[in-house]
Amino acid sequence: MSAAPIGTREISRHAVRAELARVAFNRFCLTGFNQVTFADLSKAAGVSRSTFLRYFGTKEDVVLFVFDPVGDVITDALDAEQADQADQADQADWSRLRNALESAVTFLVRDVQELVTILDLIEQTPALCARLREKQAEWRPKIVARLQKTTSATDGSSVIANVRVAAALEILWIVLGQWSASDGQEDLGNLLDVAFAAFSTPARQQTDTPL
């Protein structure tokens, strides 16, 4: 009987955070991220400063609120994506990570212009770039654990899984940056394909150099 009220409170908290983030982002776009204070944000949102701080501890987290679920989106997608038994383990991992990233970008790109604007603000603000990197590092252990749990790889070492996940997360930001630079015009699926193809091992060319 206690589960429903807890769920309701969580939904309500998320809705409040989403509204505060929306108001704050509009203010950041109008005034500039570094120029806006929490006093400005609370006034724009019509709440007290202490109330605003109860939902967001830093200005960076206000802007990056939209990215908070991305780690869970990727891990959930890995659960749903089953490795092809005909593939080698490394090929299956890359395929599943690529598909999981597509789930992440689908989640993020609900409003093209809004996401482009957010990404532009992040690109222009070192503090936001640094905080986003921190979030990426926070997601990685859970994604690695899920990849290892669902992989067919026989190598028990976590090094390979960590490297693959780190590379995949880097691909995500590179692809989103390229997409944002095109004002959201490029196809994200194609960009993901091109990015992951960069990790394919080309066939060795035989060269016979006469002595």
Side-chain angles (χ1 to χ4, degrees):
M1 296 294 291
S2 61
I6 292 174
T8 301
R9 286 198 296 272
E10 289 174 351
I11 292 170
S12 176
R13 178 177 174 79
H14 179 84
V16 172
R17 294 185 84 228
E19 178 60 18
L20 292 177
R22 183 191 65 80
V23 172
F25 185 68
N26 289 338
R27 190 60 184 265
F28 290 139
C29 290
L30 287 172
T31 310
F33 180 81
N34 292 324
Q35 287 69 41
V36 176
T37 66
F38 268 114
D40 298 327
L41 296 179
S42 60
K43 182 177 180 180
V47 299
S48 68
R49 185 176 183 276
S50 60
T51 296
F52 205 108
L53 286 168
R54 191 160 66 243
Y55 289 95
F56 290 104
T58 69
K59 292 194 301 178
E60 290 79 13
D61 285 340
V62 180
V63 175
L64 301 177
F65 167 71
V66 67
F67 292 98
D68 285 351
V70 168
D72 287 336
V73 169
I74 293 173
T75 54
D76 289 346
L78 286 173
D79 272 344
E81 185 72 24
Q82 297 300 317
D84 185 341
Q85 295 300 314
D87 283 343
Q88 293 181 1
D90 59 346
Q91 294 172 327
D93 282 354
W94 277 119
S95 174
R96 291 163 59 231
L97 283 167
R98 182 253 178 264
N99 292 339
L101 290 199
E102 183 145 20
S103 295
V105 297
T106 298
F107 167 80
L108 287 169
V109 187
R110 287 166 288 183
D111 183 315
V112 170
Q113 195 52 54
E114 179 182 84
L115 183 58
V116 167
T117 305
I118 291 172
L119 292 169
D120 285 348
L121 180 61
I122 293 170
E123 178 68 23
Q124 297 164 15
T125 312
L128 289 172
C129 290
R131 180 61 183 129
L132 189 53
R133 288 290 185 179
E134 289 177 1
K135 284 184 178 289
Q136 178 177 325
E138 290 164 6
W139 302 335
R140 193 170 70 203
K142 185 175 180 180
I143 298 172
V144 168
R146 195 65 55 90
L147 185 66
Q148 289 183 295
K149 179 182 177 182
T150 56
T151 190
S152 58
T154 56
D155 185 352
S157 170
S158 65
V159 172
I160 293 175
N162 268 283
V163 169
R164 287 176 181 152
V165 171
L169 289 174
E170 192 64 26
I171 284 173
L172 176 61
W173 306 126
I174 291 172
V175 162
L176 284 173
Q178 178 73 22
W179 175 81
S180 176
S182 75
D183 202 29
Q185 296 302 304
E186 291 200 52
D187 184 272
L188 276 165
N190 289 340
L191 288 173
L192 284 172
D193 286 337
V194 170
F196 272 88
F199 286 88
S200 298
T201 304
R204 290 177 177 270
Q205 296 183 351
Q206 298 296 325
T207 57
D208 294 326
T209 306
L211 295 177

